[in-house]
Amino acid sequence: MKNPVVTSWTESTRNLFEPVIVLVITFAAIVKLSQSLYRYNLRRRSRARSGTMSSSSSSDNGTGVQARRRSRILSSKLYFDIPNSKVPLIYSSAYDITFLGIEKLHPFDSSKWGRICGFLLVDNVVDKNCIVEPLEASKNDLLVVHSEAYLNCLKKSANVAMIIEVPHVAVFPNCLVQQKVLYPFRNQVGGTILAAKLAKERGWAINVGGGFHHCSGEKGGGFCAYADISLCIHFAFERLNISRVMIIDLDAHQGNGHETDFANDSRVYILDVYNPGIYPFDYEARRYIDQKVEVVSGTTTNEYLRKLDEALEVSVHSFDPELIVYNAGTDILDGDPLGRLKISPDGITNRDEKVFRFARKRNIPIVMLTSGGYMKSSARVIADSITNLSNKCLIDTGKNMTAT
């Protein structure tokens, strides 16, 4: 005979857990579907692009594309005059991502950019009123590099979820995803593009954000939805009378996005120091790196800085840039869960100083982007490094204290 208490408890437990099990299964199905849809859209865009290229004349592929790109750049509002009372440090509160706490499901500190500026203000390195606030990149701006098909794919939350590596985002209305995720990214893109203009005018500029080096014109990934580095360079080509750009990518991850966009483009020289044992494993894009420096997991500060010195020395004899875009990721820090390198905070400071001295010695304008960094301590480390650049008079924040 069944125990009525046990029977009652079993039925109650079943009634309680059945909805939970259904919810878990449903969510797993959504994630799987989003992955499939994203891959399908990428294949479809690739086929469409191939079809278009094969059916179009070489003249349209070349002259027509360049003409449309130039027209968009010249009509853009992202370049605007900055008063001398401002310093070329670019940030907007719109950079920071808050999305019902879901942003915490990704290891990236999505409030890093605001925290960097907060430290700089508290440390009296820069005055709040002197920081430059950029404009949001418009669709027309993004079309300078991105295809219409790629931008349309971002109108599906499942695709954005794949790109930023947070599956939960797939279930939210796209209008919310646009506002909470893509709008902050578009503001950072505006900051990166503006930084080149400021660097040309002032010698340097730091966008406290940007550095989305995994995104190319046709594909996003690795928390990178827009190709801000590629956009910045194309704007510089058209608006700043610049014809040679060096990308110094010192994020722990390979910069496969800009490498894909500038494949075989002799105007752009890419020096990439990265860990080959981590994401993105893009072997095709590696073919387009002009100077490849691989630093394996566990590489320590002294070894890293030695390899950087050697790489910078080689680049001197290989390319004569008119602009440097420096992707200064801090995921090389010891303890970073994704970078897997062992560089100390002082090593970051020394690294940044070496790159800025390299540019200063040769009188080359330099744009710095903060890029990756997956520990809470990254914001403090970046702020300390910017403070050091100011103290060494490699940048002028209006409050330089010492010179050495």
Side-chain angles (χ1 to χ4, degrees):
M1 183 177 177
K2 294 182 179 179
N3 187 325
V5 176
V6 173
T7 302
S8 175
W9 184 87
T10 303
E11 291 175 352
S12 298
T13 303
R14 185 185 301 115
N15 291 336
L16 176 65
F17 280 100
E18 279 181 350
V20 175
I21 293 170
V22 170
L23 181 62
V24 170
I25 293 172
T26 302
F27 178 71
I30 290 172
V31 172
K32 186 68 176 176
L33 178 61
S34 71
Q35 292 173 335
S36 300
L37 285 172
Y38 185 62
R39 286 193 293 267
Y40 169 74
N41 284 332
L42 286 178
R43 289 195 298 270
R44 186 174 64 177
R45 290 202 307 275
S46 178
R47 287 195 297 268
R49 189 184 183 196
S50 299
T52 301
M53 290 178 66
S54 62
S55 62
S56 300
S57 67
S58 58
S59 174
D60 181 63
N61 282 341
T63 308
V65 170
Q66 289 299 325
R68 288 192 294 273
R69 173 177 285 162
R70 187 168 191 271
S71 176
R72 289 184 174 114
I73 291 173
L74 294 179
S75 65
S76 174
K77 297 179 180 179
L78 294 179
Y79 273 16
F80 56 92
D81 292 332
I82 307 297
N84 291 330
S85 59
K86 302 276 190 179
V87 299
L89 189 71
I90 304 169
Y91 168 74
S92 166
S93 59
Y95 281 17
D96 299 299
I97 298 174
T98 56
F99 194 178
L100 306 174
I102 291 175
E103 71 278 1
K104 294 182 174 62
L105 297 175
H106 192 281
F108 190 87
D109 178 10
S110 59
S111 63
K112 176 178 80 171
W113 310 289
R115 293 175 60 238
I116 293 168
C117 280
F119 288 132
L120 293 175
L121 294 175
V122 169
D123 295 344
N124 201 34
V125 177
V126 66
D127 187 275
K128 182 178 181 180
N129 295 323
C130 293
I131 295 174
V132 175
E133 186 168 346
L135 299 175
E136 173 195 4
S138 68
K139 178 182 177 180
N140 209 46
D141 296 322
L142 298 172
L143 284 169
V144 167
V145 164
H146 293 293
S147 67
E148 186 93 35
Y150 175 74
L151 295 182
N152 284 338
C153 101
L154 298 180
K155 295 177 182 178
K156 294 182 173 61
S157 297
N159 292 336
V160 178
M162 288 294 297
I163 290 170
I164 68 172
E165 301 171 339
V166 182
H168 302 69
V169 169
V171 303
F172 286 90
N174 190 256
C175 59
L176 192 60
V177 174
Q178 292 284 335
Q179 177 189 354
K180 294 294 187 179
V181 179
L182 297 180
Y183 174 71
F185 284 159
R186 289 193 295 268
N187 275 274
Q188 294 189 45
V189 170
T192 298
I193 291 171
L194 178 61
K197 178 180 184 293
L198 275 168
K200 180 75 182 293
E201 294 170 352
R202 313 279 187 93
W204 67 276
I206 297 174
N207 181 20
V208 185
F212 304 132
H213 65 157
H214 295 308
C215 188
S216 66
E218 290 293 337
K219 183 180 178 182
F223 207 72
C224 302
Y226 300 114
D228 66 321
I229 293 175
S230 301
L231 285 160
C232 170
I233 292 172
H234 279 294
F235 269 71
F237 285 155
E238 291 293 341
R239 298 281 290 266
L240 302 179
N241 195 29
I242 282 173
S243 58
R244 298 183 306 279
V245 178
M246 178 183 287
I247 299 173
I248 300 179
D249 196 335
L250 302 188
D251 187 276
H253 300 83
Q254 175 199 348
N256 59 319
H258 56 72
E259 289 158 7
T260 298
D261 283 340
F262 293 110
N264 303 315
D265 189 330
S266 61
R267 300 173 300 172
V268 179
Y269 182 94
I270 300 174
L271 164 58
D272 197 346
V273 181
Y274 65 95
N275 183 346
I278 60 175
Y279 178 90
F281 303 106
D282 192 334
Y283 300 102
E284 175 67 20
R286 288 181 191 180
R287 297 173 51 213
Y288 308 123
I289 303 173
D290 297 284
Q291 195 175 340
K292 177 168 53 178
V293 181
E294 297 185 342
V295 285
V296 298
S297 297
T299 297
T300 56
T301 302
N302 289 339
E303 176 70 6
Y304 183 92
L305 293 177
R306 181 184 66 78
K307 288 193 171 188
L308 175 59
D309 284 335
E310 292 173 353
L312 291 174
E313 184 61 30
V314 169
S315 72
V316 169
H317 306 290
S318 304
F319 196 71
D320 182 24
E322 297 171 298
L323 175 71
I324 291 173
V325 177
Y326 172 36
N327 200 47
T330 49
D331 47 4
I332 66 171
L333 273 170
D334 187 9
D336 189 284
L338 301 187
R340 301 181 190 172
L341 301 177
K342 293 185 176 296
I343 314 305
S344 68
D346 285 343
I348 295 284
T349 298
N350 289 334
R351 177 199 69 171
D352 294 348
E353 183 177 331
K354 285 176 182 292
V355 175
F356 270 77
R357 286 195 184 281
F358 174 85
R360 170 66 69 86
K361 183 178 180 180
R362 292 159 184 80
N363 199 31
I364 306 168
I366 181 170
V367 168
M368 173 176 162
L369 311 171
T370 57
S371 200
Y374 304 92
M375 297 194 298
K376 285 287 185 183
S377 59
S378 282
R380 177 76 265 181
V381 171
I382 295 168
D384 287 345
S385 181
I386 293 173
T387 299
N388 177 68
L389 294 174
S390 177
N391 290 344
K392 299 293 179 64
C393 293
L394 291 168
I395 63 175
D396 183 4
T397 62
K399 296 192 176 186
N400 300 60
M401 294 180 287
T402 62
T404 60

